[in-house]
Amino acid sequence: MTITEKVAAEPVAAAAQAARITGLGKSFGPNVVLDGIDLDIAAGEIVALVGRSGSGKSTLLRVIGGLETADRGSVTVDAQPTFAFQEARLIPWLPVVRNVALGRPRPRNRRRDQEFARTVLEQVGLRERADAWPLTLSGGEAQRVALARALVANPRLLLLDEPFGALDALTRLSMHELLLGLHAEHGFGVLLVTHDVTEAVTLADRVLVLDDGRIADEVAIDLPRPRSHSAPEGAGYITRLLALLGVRA
């Protein structure tokens, strides 16, 4: 049984937007980190955020996900978003299946949640590792578990904070394919923070450039999927984004 079939028993209302952010502002002491952010994320859309360190990317993600409170403005999401971070953040004394089941929303039934978690692990290619301990996993396997934990809540919006940044190049490509396959199957919206403009062009429908807490530029990626990392069609987008970031290609 696939995740889609299981989720059919847990309907989620259709929505035209996964999230709407209006006039969002956030400061830490005298430091203005977000300065009037306006952003709509359509249901099923993949949006990438790029920018220099300190431009506000991760803070914006945390505010949307409810991990930080905004000083002003509003955030409206279709349903509680879920996170995957650069570090898998697995609990080492719980087996993989129980780590994934922790992503289930309350109220929870332990047996049913673990059964569902095994189904999601199958979708990310790790059902045979369900009873393994986190410390025995490779970096790529740990990130797959973290992604499964985010997906087990049947999210309408997935927030990704550089989840592939610490992986080797081949594992990163494999994770890109996995994410796009799951996205095509389930149709959740994605907001991805990344420093890799090639990754952004490969995965996203739109790329936003953050600068000094503001959305300075937006680039729509008008390319069909699947996209190759080395395809010449993407080179122009990559060059443009690098220029917007002040980097000579």
Side-chain angles (χ1 to χ4, degrees):
M1 184 175 289
T2 67
I3 302 177
T4 303
E5 290 168 333
K6 295 272 281 189
V7 166
E10 304 174 15
V12 177
Q17 287 183 329
R20 167 163 284 181
I21 296 91
T22 306
L24 200 66
K26 175 70 177 176
S27 299
F28 294 103
N31 245 354
V32 178
V33 181
L34 300 176
D35 188 11
I37 297 286
D38 294 317
L39 171 62
D40 288 343
I41 303 172
E45 183 182 27
I46 301 178
V47 178
L49 291 172
V50 299
R52 296 183 181 86
S53 295
S55 60
K57 303 183 300 296
S58 293
T59 301
L60 176 57
L61 220 66
R62 291 174 65 84
V63 171
I64 294 171
L67 301 182
E68 298 275 359
T69 56
D71 297 328
R72 63 182 185 278
S74 65
V75 176
T76 305
V77 293
D78 176 44
Q80 181 62 39
T82 59
F83 274 95
F85 300 93
Q86 183 170 355
E87 309 84 17
R89 302 189 180 188
L90 305 180
I91 299 174
W93 57 86
L94 294 181
V96 163
V97 68
R98 290 188 62 190
N99 267 279
V100 174
L102 289 174
R104 292 288 284 166
R106 296 178 183 272
R108 297 194 296 248
N109 175 286
R110 181 169 172 175
R111 180 177 176 180
R112 183 169 178 269
D113 287 353
Q114 289 193 27
E115 183 180 307
F116 190 80
R118 289 179 188 273
T119 301
V120 181
L121 282 167
E122 184 171 8
Q123 292 291 299
V124 301
L126 286 178
R127 189 178 182 96
E128 76 284 356
R129 302 289 273 153
D131 298 310
W133 298 104
L135 291 178
T136 69
L137 303 176
S138 69
E141 287 174 333
Q143 280 304 102
R144 284 173 180 259
V145 174
L147 186 57
R149 184 178 55 196
L151 293 174
V152 80
N154 186 29
R156 305 304 298 164
L157 178 63
L158 184 60
L159 303 175
L160 302 178
D161 195 355
E162 296 192 70
F164 315 127
L167 302 177
D168 64 81
L170 290 177
T171 305
R172 191 180 306 128
L173 292 177
S174 174
M175 289 297 294
H176 289 172
E177 291 177 6
L178 174 64
L179 174 65
L180 290 174
L182 292 167
H183 171 264
E185 180 180 353
H186 303 294
F188 44 75
V190 178
L191 185 58
L192 166 70
V193 166
T194 179
H195 279 99
D196 185 341
V197 295
T198 301
E199 179 173 83
V201 170
T202 300
L203 297 177
D205 300 300
R206 286 187 291 150
V207 182
L208 308 180
V209 180
L210 264 64
D211 188 29
D212 289 333
R214 296 171 179 261
I215 297 176
D217 292 281
E218 176 179 319
V219 177
I221 310 299
D222 188 19
L223 295 174
R225 292 191 179 97
R227 303 169 187 164
S228 167
H229 286 66
S230 57
E233 295 85 357
Y237 290 104
I238 293 169
T239 300
R240 181 179 174 190
L241 285 165
L242 289 172
L244 291 171
L245 291 167
V247 178
R248 182 174 296 177

